[in-house]
């Protein structure tokens, strides 16, 4: 689809995808790639390997038999780079541009693929005629190789995973969905993928503030035109671990119902104090959806009964995911019912403490409440 006179979106949609490396993708996703026509033709990003032929067909629909000259790899993760072997086979003379880390990772992922690689760093540019591509390395947003690419002549930022969303319902631009939906999906994406990398994100936002941007073309989801300020404002808040002091999220699982009763009792008590409270039961609520709800919550309460001297596996899985995503500046509370041994609440408390949370006194009930 044509974005500007010489710029096309040539990626692929995956509307039926429901799990993306453990992330519940309720609206599917896209694997975005962009074709820029100039004296030299440039392809920015690739797609997941099963969609390689779709990508090549989209490219040929624009170029016919004209070759692609330059391949910019903003990110090596296979949902972005999986089609690299097919693309380089179709255009063997094309040079691949990316960071030094990208070259190392690409060679490891695709050892049998042959292509000329041009390493780039901050401040480097690629001239293709009327256009000059500026490379903006952003390591650990969210892999070591990651970078963005800026095209000043068109005021377009090809932002890689930053500012993306898992939306594959057919729309192209941000204004084709309600702003609330866009920011909800962007928040889900941030909470489950980008959250641990707040400091690098902050550096990228600082760099982006000096760019004149009319359009943001991410690697997943909708292209931003109308809602760029709102998206940047959310990212600024999220990268600082900004939270709503009035929000409580209660996450729990139960066996015979006592821990669920305790969760409901906590919800009622905190609601009476004027807090906005949300109780989420595992596994009815996917872990990635829980993380989305936690993104801006100040208080995180986690509950499990004791089973075989441990917390329930569902709760352990959630805590493992949350600990890896590293939310900061939260207040935690552990709770749970038990019959005779009662270790679960203490185990949860230990993990909340290890996450760096301020913790409230654990709550344990025996048999029932």
């Amino acid at each position: 689809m044509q974005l500007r006179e010489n710029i096309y979106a040539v990626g692929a949609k995956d509307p039926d995808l429901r799990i993306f490396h453990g992330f519940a993708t309720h609206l599917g996703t896209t694997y975005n790639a962009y074709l820029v026509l100039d004296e030299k033709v440039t392809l920015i990003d690739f797609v997941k390997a099963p969609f390689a032929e779709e990508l090549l067909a989209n490219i040929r629909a624009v170029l016919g038999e004209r070759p692609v000259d330059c391949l910019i790899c903003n990110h090596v993760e296979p949902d972005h780079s999986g089609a690299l072997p097919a693309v380089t086979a179709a255009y063997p003379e094309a040079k691949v541009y990316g960071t030094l880390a990208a070259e190392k990772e690409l060679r490891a992922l695709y050892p049998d693929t042959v292509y000329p690689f041009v390493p780039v760093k901050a401040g480097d540019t690629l001239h293709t005629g009327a256009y000059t591509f500026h490379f903006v390395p952003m390591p650990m947003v969210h892999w070591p190789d990651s970078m963005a690419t800026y095209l000043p002549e068109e005021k377009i930022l090809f932002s890689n995973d930053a500012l993306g969303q898992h939306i594959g319902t057919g729309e192209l631009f941000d204004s084709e969905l309600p702003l609330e939906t866009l920011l909800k999906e962007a928040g889900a994406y941030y909470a489950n993928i980008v959250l641990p990398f707040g400091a690098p994100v902050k550096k990228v936002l600082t760099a982006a503030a000096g760019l004149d941007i009319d359009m943001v073309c991410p690697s997943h989801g909708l292209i931003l035109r109308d809602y760029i300020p709102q998206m940047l404002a959310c990212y600024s808040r999220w990268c600082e671990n900004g939270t709503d002091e009035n929000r409580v999220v209660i996450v729990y699982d139960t066996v015979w119902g006592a821990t669920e009763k305790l969760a409901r009792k906590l919800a009622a008590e905190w609601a009476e104090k004027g807090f906005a409270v949300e109780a989420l039961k595992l596994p009815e609520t996917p872990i990635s959806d829980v993380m989305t709800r936690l993104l801006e919550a100040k208080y995180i309460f986690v509950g499990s009964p004791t089973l075989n001297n441990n917390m329930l596996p569902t709760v352990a899985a959630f805590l493992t995911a949350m600990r890896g995503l590293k939310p900061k500046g939260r207040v935690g509370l552990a709770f749970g019912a038990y019959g005779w041994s009662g270790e679960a609440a203490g185990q949860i408390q230990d993990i909340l403490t290890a996450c760096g949370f301020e913790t409230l006194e654990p709550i344990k009930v025996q048999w029932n409440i």
Side-chain angles (χ1 to χ4, degrees):
M1 300 184 72
Q2 191 166 13
L3 306 181
R4 295 274 176 85
E5 182 178 355
N6 296 313
I7 301 175
Y8 296 80
V10 292
K13 294 181 176 64
D14 196 357
D16 298 322
L17 182 77
R18 289 297 175 265
I19 298 292
F20 182 91
H21 55 53
F23 182 164
T25 49
H26 303 290
L27 301 179
T29 195
T30 63
Y31 312 108
N32 295 341
Y34 304 96
L35 198 64
V36 182
L37 278 56
D38 201 1
E39 293 175 21
K40 294 180 180 179
V41 175
T42 302
L43 176 67
I44 301 174
D45 290 330
F46 315 106
V47 298
K48 197 174 178 180
F51 299 87
E53 289 305 316
E54 183 177 346
L55 171 66
L56 289 171
N58 291 340
I59 293 170
R60 290 172 184 138
V62 176
L63 296 182
E65 295 303 312
R66 186 179 177 187
V68 175
D69 303 289
C70 307
L71 306 172
I72 295 177
C73 181
N74 277 336
H75 185 23
V76 171
E77 195 168 5
D79 55 312
H80 304 265
S81 70
L84 175 72
V87 172
T88 54
Y91 302 106
E93 301 301 318
K95 295 179 179 179
V96 179
Y97 295 78
T99 63
L100 279 170
E103 180 178 21
K104 179 181 178 180
E105 293 165 15
L106 287 174
R107 301 293 188 197
L109 279 171
Y110 313 108
D112 299 324
T113 304
V114 178
Y115 49 86
F117 189 92
V118 180
V120 299
K121 60 185 184 303
D124 286 351
T125 57
L126 168 64
H127 300 278
T128 59
Y131 291 141
T132 303
F133 295 89
H134 294 244
F135 301 113
V136 185
M138 49 184 200
M140 297 318 301
V141 185
H142 60 124
W143 275 28
D145 60 276
S146 296
M147 71 175 187
T149 300
Y150 178 58
L151 187 58
E153 293 85 0
E154 295 284 352
K155 300 181 182 180
I156 296 178
L157 179 67
F158 299 94
S159 64
N160 187 355
D161 273 335
L163 310 177
Q165 335 89 43
H166 282 308
I167 298 175
T169 47
E171 299 82 7
L172 182 63
F173 294 109
D174 54 0
S175 58
E176 296 175 46
L177 284 179
L179 175 60
E180 180 182 0
T181 302
L182 178 76
L183 295 182
K184 176 185 175 183
E185 295 305 320
Y189 192 93
Y190 191 98
N192 287 279
I193 295 177
V194 187
L195 181 58
F197 311 109
V201 168
K202 187 174 181 179
K203 291 180 181 178
V204 172
L205 292 176
T206 300
L211 304 177
D212 190 4
I213 300 172
D214 282 346
M215 183 183 291
V216 176
C217 294
S219 293
H220 294 290
L222 305 185
I223 294 165
L224 307 179
R225 295 187 305 186
D226 294 339
Y227 298 139
I228 294 173
Q230 293 90 332
M231 184 71 82
L232 291 176
C234 286
Y235 260 66
S236 295
R237 184 168 68 253
W238 295 335
C239 79
E240 296 281 4
N241 272 280
T243 57
D244 182 344
E245 300 282 336
N246 195 49
R247 284 190 59 190
V248 179
V249 173
I250 302 173
V251 187
Y252 71 96
D253 199 358
T254 195
V255 174
W256 296 114
T259 299
E260 185 162 37
K261 288 181 183 178
L262 184 51
R264 290 175 178 170
K265 183 174 185 291
L266 285 168
E269 290 174 351
W270 282 73
E272 285 181 7
K273 297 176 184 178
F275 289 85
V277 183
E278 190 171 14
L280 304 173
K281 184 178 180 180
L282 299 166
E284 293 175 7
T285 306
I287 288 172
S288 58
D289 288 359
V290 175
M291 286 306 308
T292 302
R293 304 308 301 154
L294 294 183
L295 180 59
E296 296 191 14
K298 180 68 173 181
Y299 296 89
I300 301 173
F301 299 171
V302 183
S304 172
T306 297
L307 176 69
N308 298 328
N309 305 110
N310 284 285
M311 71 183 84
L312 291 180
T314 50
V315 178
F318 159 69
L319 288 170
T320 298
M322 183 180 72
R323 186 173 182 177
L325 289 165
K326 299 180 176 66
K328 305 293 184 186
R330 304 316 205 269
V331 177
L333 183 148
F335 66 94
Y338 69 100
W340 51 90
S341 59
E343 292 90 346
Q347 294 167 356
I348 294 169
Q349 173 86 354
D350 289 344
I351 294 174
L352 296 176
T353 300
C355 288
F357 293 2
E358 176 187 345
T359 54
L360 305 177
E361 186 68 24
I363 299 174
K364 298 168 62 174
V365 298
Q366 191 170 20
W367 297 115
N368 209 339
I369 66 170

